[in-house]
Amino acid sequence: MAEANAPKLGFTRRSFLKGVGGAAALSAAGVVGMTSAQAWLAPAQADAAQVAEEYTACTFHQAHCGGMCPLKCTVRDGRMVLVQPNDASTDDRYKTICLKGISEVQHIYSDKRVQAPLKRVGDRGSNEFVQISWDEALDEICASLKDIQASHGKDAVMVMSGSETNSSFLTSVLQARSGGFTGIDVGFGNGLDPAIGYGGGFATSTADPRDWVESRLVLTVGSNFCESTLPQVRLFFEAKEAGARMVTVDPHFSTTAGKSDEWAPIVPGTDAALFLGMISVILDEGLADDDFMSKHTSMPFLVDTATGKLLRDHVEDPSAEEPETGAQNPFFVIDPSTGAPARYGEVAAPALSGIVEVDGVQATTVYDLMRKSQSAFTVERASELTGIAVDKIVELARLYAKGPSSLALGWGGNDKMGNADVAGHAAALLVAITGNIGKPGAGVGVYVGGTWSGQTAALGAWELPEELAPAEAKTAAYDLRRNPENVRALICCGDIVAQHFANMGVTEQWVRGLDLVISMDPYFTEGAKWSDYVLPLTTRFENDSDCGNVKVGYNQIVMQQKVIDPLFEAKTDLWVEREIARRMGIAEDVLPKDGVELSKTVLSTAEDPYISSLTVEKLEQAGGVWPLENAREVRREYTDYEFDTVSGRMDVYYDSLASFGQALPVWEPCNEIAADNPLREKYPLQLANVRSRFRIHNQFNDAKWIQQYFEPTVELSPSEAQKRGIADGDIVEVFNDRGSFQVRAVSNESIRPGSIRLAEGSTADYMARGNMQSVTNDAMNERGYGLLQGPVIPFSDTLVEVRKA
């Protein structure tokens, strides 16, 4: 892997433009003097004869954090000099910004900007490039793509995009395949969402965090809300001030734990055990909501005791695996008035318990199977596994059952463990037995990111011809590295290589074998080092037309105006897509001619008249923000208890997982960090990949203003540091059988002994050597292939050792 070998943690422009010839080559492109933030931000020369041209423009910030903060930017003499919250928002709570947004004044002029198209000249991964023109780059790229697709089919090209870019048409233009399932952020959702029919596998919360002011208990598990969702942090404190008890469960003392009423330390990877222990307490103490379970969950459904499968009536279309939601309910229940089996829908409140015979098949209820399963898992067992005292688990269970309670999960904690789906399923069961959903103060899921957790609206779309349909992806992205199938070319819009795959050694081997790798990004990322061509994209602050895009942000519609012209030789995603389309023989009018035409279309084609009546001109006059029609209403899903499942109920019994023993959630340990794993003798420390307020994944690594306050460090408890003779500031090597990296170490009493902590997205240019992903675990459970979003990549289910470098 290409990496900086010196222990100094700084970097230079030359470190990633070997062979370019430095400023001489850049001068040829007409960008000399623009190669650093210092040059762009140098004080203007005092001249009484000159009057600075100054104006403001609006845009929105990162979609990847879910904040979508509306920003007002001041431009003076062509340079962006100030970024502020957009005060045109009609509600003060949406006038948000964080240090990352403020830092864009420097960040967009960063030394890590890709200033011109680059072409690899050394071996792939050698990090050696020369500058070429846009025409040369696109002509060569499109010629290669045509050759690859002519020889191997359209699906030989794969396009993967992250939220930091806006390449929405490229996959269709090339009729390529997308990355499909990537195994990221789906751990909890795989287990939770099938029960509710919501979230799509990402465990999106069933309520807005504004709803927390109605909660008695907000139980945060596996989420560092106060770091991960800075624009909405005030909602945490509003709930606390309103009387909600804020309890955070986290292996480490996080920022959110420090702001909570209580912190409950937990053994990493045992969230499922906590939920199962709470369930046992609630059932044993008679605190469950029997009426909710009978009327609104699948607890009364009958299961074949021999096969573990739900009993189902015939369906009208025998070729259909499942009837459409709400169209037909093929399940059986017990009529409490007769004790006999009946078709679901014929009985308003079926019996929760009982054994009956249906057409010669002995059956019992999901509820009875759940009680039997839970009887084998005591609160004492939960305490033994989690490290949380029995009394504390009992207290949390009672508080949660009393309700209304919100269960706030997260992306980046237990979500990145091999057993994450079991934890999500157990969370669904906890909700189902208490009815903590659909009413004020009661919700479940990931509340991080106001854009995802708040109100939303459906914009229209730019329609493409049917013949420009993406190719089918037979193999999901997480399996392609070991089963390359037909993929010969990879186009990464954003830093996919270093962010979406664990075990970097396997990723590198896969990338080396591809015929063509392209990176499209405003910044030179870790993944760019492995590319054949690196194409410079604009940031959200640069555009070639007056309006770049319109999106639904945090409870409002937000507009991306042109703040400044494209810097260096950067081009917008749409410009690149149009140029590729032209070279691929696609008619010019198939894609929007510019961002203005795209923005007008996504507004005018919306089905909702409230949206379709809005115009780009109205948005501009309103200062670039427009409140959603229901913006002031707290979002709560399923207030009528009509769930988006086949039965219309909370379906907590997953008979598709019966062969794995997980039709109901049953405790199982993680696949690497399990306490009894013999590998712990060699690698005794769990590596936690955690979120940081200084990062959005691996974005803002290169923001120099932020670097003044934060650099990637591996944090470990003082006791673990002392054992290894490690002092604060030492460069240490973190290693296991998969690989290693080097980074500065800091002892921190907030870190649980037996674990170390490092902010996710830490890559080679910002550490002493190597990439965090060099050691992360990519082993996936077989059961995962039957889950909603496929198997989760267990990044934090990783064992390592640490030694002084």
Side-chain angles (χ1 to χ4, degrees):
M1 171 177 180
E3 55 198 24
N5 292 310
K8 182 182 178 183
L9 302 189
F11 58 89
T12 66
R13 175 77 180 163
R14 193 174 298 276
S15 70
F16 69 92
L17 282 179
K18 300 175 186 176
V20 173
L26 293 172
S27 178
V31 292
V32 67
M34 302 180 187
T35 58
S36 70
Q38 287 74 19
W40 275 102
L41 297 177
Q45 296 296 318
D47 188 342
Q50 292 182 344
V51 178
E53 180 189 358
E54 183 172 308
Y55 63 88
T56 61
C58 66
T59 187
F60 53 85
H61 203 217
Q62 285 287 337
H64 218 155
C65 71
M68 295 283 283
C69 295
L71 303 177
K72 182 175 74 173
C73 308
T74 301
V75 179
R76 185 179 302 133
D77 288 339
R79 295 182 296 187
M80 189 170 76
V81 296
L82 181 64
V83 181
Q84 299 171 282
N86 189 343
D87 52 12
S89 294
T90 58
D91 189 323
D92 284 346
R93 72 175 61 224
Y94 307 137
K95 299 174 184 177
T96 55
I97 196 169
C98 73
L99 73 169
K100 295 184 287 291
I102 294 169
S103 77
E104 293 284 18
V105 171
Q106 178 275 324
H107 187 220
I108 66 170
Y109 303 105
S110 166
D111 290 337
K112 279 293 188 177
R113 284 294 298 268
V114 183
Q115 297 181 17
L118 304 175
K119 180 180 179 179
R120 175 175 62 84
V121 292
D123 293 335
R124 187 172 287 156
S126 66
N127 203 20
E128 296 178 358
F129 297 88
V130 294
Q131 177 183 324
I132 60 175
S133 70
W134 270 105
D135 281 337
E136 288 176 302
L138 293 177
D139 286 347
E140 292 176 16
I141 287 170
C142 289
S144 295
L145 291 174
K146 288 178 180 178
D147 288 345
I148 289 169
Q149 290 187 317
S151 300
H152 305 287
K154 298 290 187 182
D155 65 342
V157 176
M158 183 168 75
V159 179
M160 296 185 69
S161 297
S163 296
E164 60 268 33
T165 62
N166 193 39
S167 301
S168 53
F169 297 114
L170 190 56
T171 306
S172 295
V173 162
L174 296 172
Q175 299 169 64
R177 64 196 288 170
S178 68
F181 297 156
T182 62
I184 292 178
D185 294 338
V186 298
F188 278 133
N190 269 337
L192 171 66
D193 292 355
I196 305 170
Y198 192 73
F202 292 92
T204 307
S205 63
T206 61
D208 185 325
R210 290 179 293 177
D211 185 46
W212 287 348
V213 295
E214 305 286 349
S215 302
R216 283 198 180 96
L217 170 69
V218 177
L219 182 61
T220 297
V221 183
S223 174
N224 193 358
F225 183 87
C226 292
E227 293 235 11
S228 296
T229 188
L230 290 176
Q232 288 83 46
V233 166
R234 69 173 69 184
L235 302 178
F236 182 95
F237 296 101
E238 287 176 5
K240 189 175 180 181
E241 291 169 5
R245 182 162 184 79
M246 312 299 284
V247 178
T248 292
V249 178
D250 194 302
H252 313 287
F253 189 71
S254 65
T255 300
T256 307
K259 302 302 181 182
S260 297
D261 295 300
E262 185 174 358
W263 168 50
I266 188 172
V267 172
T270 63
D271 294 23
L274 171 63
F275 298 148
L276 293 171
M278 291 172 65
I279 290 167
S280 289
V281 172
I282 290 167
L283 294 174
D284 291 346
E285 295 191 1
L287 303 176
D289 188 335
D290 290 354
D291 187 63
F292 181 85
M293 285 191 286
S294 173
K295 294 179 179 178
H296 304 299
T297 77
S298 61
M299 293 292 188
F301 290 176
L302 292 175
V303 180
D304 185 333
T305 56
T307 65
K309 295 289 187 178
L310 288 161
L311 289 184
R312 301 172 186 242
D313 201 357
H314 72 280
V315 294
E316 291 181 2
D317 179 4
S319 67
E321 295 182 1
E322 294 283 0
E324 292 182 5
T325 301
Q328 184 179 359
N329 290 302
F331 305 101
F332 286 94
V333 296
I334 299 174
D335 186 336
S337 63
T338 64
R343 289 176 177 82
Y344 165 60
E346 298 175 356
V347 182
L352 283 174
S353 180
I355 298 176
V356 294
E357 190 173 289
V358 181
D359 297 331
V361 174
Q362 188 181 58
T364 189
T365 63
V366 170
Y367 176 84
D368 282 344
L369 292 175
M370 184 269 297
R371 292 298 304 245
K372 180 179 179 181
S373 175
Q374 285 299 135
S375 68
F377 194 87
T378 64
V379 67
E380 289 77 16
R381 176 64 173 151
S383 177
E384 177 187 345
L385 291 166
T386 63
I388 301 175
V390 168
D391 289 349
K392 180 54 61 179
I393 296 176
V394 170
E395 178 189 350
L396 290 176
R398 290 171 178 168
L399 284 170
Y400 185 82
K402 185 176 182 181
S405 299
S406 295
L407 180 55
L409 307 174
W411 297 311
N414 196 103
D415 179 69
K416 300 296 188 291
M417 300 293 185
N419 63 358
D421 65 297
V422 181
H425 195 178
L429 187 58
L430 182 61
V431 171
I433 67 170
T434 59
N436 270 308
I437 192 171
K439 56 190 177 185
V444 62
V446 176
Y447 288 81
V448 168
T451 298
W452 304 311
S453 61
Q455 299 285 10
T456 190
L459 297 176
W462 182 276
E463 295 293 335
L464 295 175
E466 291 184 5
E467 60 268 22
L468 292 185
E472 180 184 357
K474 300 181 181 67
T475 302
Y478 46 67
D479 277 339
L480 280 175
R481 299 175 311 155
R482 290 185 170 91
N483 177 26
E485 198 198 313
N486 191 41
V487 173
R488 301 300 182 98
L490 173 64
I491 303 176
C492 296
C493 306
D495 192 6
I496 305 298
V497 171
Q499 180 183 321
H500 284 254
F501 301 104
N503 194 348
M504 194 70 176
V506 175
T507 305
E508 290 173 5
Q509 186 176 3
W510 170 56
V511 172
R512 286 183 191 277
L514 294 172
D515 295 341
L516 180 66
V517 182
I518 300 164
S519 172
M520 296 172 53
D521 199 292
Y523 299 94
F524 196 92
T525 64
E526 189 74 9
K529 298 175 183 178
W530 298 90
S531 298
D532 302 304
Y533 296 89
V534 184
L535 304 181
L537 296 182
T538 54
T539 66
R540 280 183 170 82
F541 302 87
E542 305 154 55
N543 220 291
D544 53 13
S545 63
D546 291 338
C547 177
N549 213 334
V550 172
K551 294 278 189 179
V552 175
Y554 177 30
N555 295 335
Q556 56 193 343
I557 295 171
V558 290
M559 179 185 195
Q560 179 194 8
Q561 284 185 321
K562 177 171 75 171
V563 178
I564 56 175
D565 290 321
L567 291 171
F568 314 112
E569 292 189 33
K571 301 292 185 181
T572 66
D573 300 72
L574 181 56
W575 184 92
V576 176
E577 290 168 322
R578 284 178 57 84
E579 287 294 312
I580 290 176
R582 181 171 64 83
R583 286 168 171 81
M584 301 302 284
I586 296 172
E588 186 176 0
D589 61 353
V590 166
L591 297 184
K593 64 182 179 182
D594 56 25
V596 174
E597 186 175 20
L598 174 62
S599 301
K600 288 180 176 180
T601 302
V602 299
L603 290 173
S604 64
T605 58
E607 293 185 6
D608 184 349
Y610 182 82
I611 306 298
S612 61
S613 63
L614 183 61
T615 65
V616 169
E617 290 75 20
K618 283 184 181 179
L619 256 177
E620 187 174 21
Q621 290 168 10
V625 291
W626 195 273
L628 296 180
E629 194 170 18
N630 52 358
R632 293 189 178 275
E633 299 173 17
V634 175
R635 182 181 67 85
R636 297 187 184 98
E637 304 293 335
Y638 308 115
T639 56
D640 57 0
Y641 295 139
E642 291 293 327
F643 296 94
D644 293 314
T645 59
V646 171
S647 70
R649 291 174 166 233
M650 277 196 72
D651 290 341
V652 294
Y653 190 83
Y654 305 163
D655 63 358
S656 62
L657 299 180
S659 61
F660 296 100
Q662 289 291 350
L664 288 162
V666 176
W667 164 252
E668 68 176 44
C670 293
N671 61 18
E672 183 162 301
I673 67 169
D676 59 354
N677 186 354
L679 191 63
R680 276 189 170 274
E681 294 183 13
K682 186 177 182 182
Y683 302 117
L685 300 172
Q686 180 251 346
L687 171 62
N689 295 251
V690 298
R691 302 292 170 89
S692 166
R693 64 185 178 276
F694 298 104
R695 297 281 185 271
I696 302 175
H697 302 301
N698 56 358
Q699 294 179 69
F700 297 94
N701 274 328
D702 53 299
K704 276 192 166 62
W705 284 5
I706 294 178
Q707 287 174 355
Q708 298 176 80
Y709 304 100
F710 176 82
E711 69 170 81
T713 56
V714 64
E715 299 174 286
L716 67 169
S717 71
S719 62
E720 298 289 6
Q722 186 176 12
K723 286 179 190 177
R724 294 161 177 80
I726 295 171
D728 283 2
D730 283 347
I731 300 295
V732 298
E733 182 178 23
V734 180
F735 64 97
N736 57 21
D737 291 338
R738 287 182 284 268
S740 68
F741 62 86
Q742 292 183 6
V743 66
R744 201 179 305 282
V746 175
S747 60
N748 186 341
E749 292 182 352
S750 298
I751 308 304
R752 186 183 188 89
S755 291
I756 60 174
R757 186 170 73 181
L758 180 63
E760 64 168 347
S762 298
T763 54
D765 286 341
Y766 310 98
M767 302 197 294
R769 180 178 66 78
N771 191 304
M772 182 183 195
Q773 300 290 29
S774 298
V775 303
T776 47
N777 183 11
D778 62 343
M780 296 173 289
N781 293 333
E782 181 184 353
R783 180 181 70 253
Y785 291 92
L787 299 177
L788 188 62
Q789 286 277 358
V792 64
I793 299 177
F795 293 96
S796 289
D797 195 351
T798 295
L799 289 177
V800 297
E801 179 56 290
V802 178
R803 62 190 171 205
K804 289 181 67 172

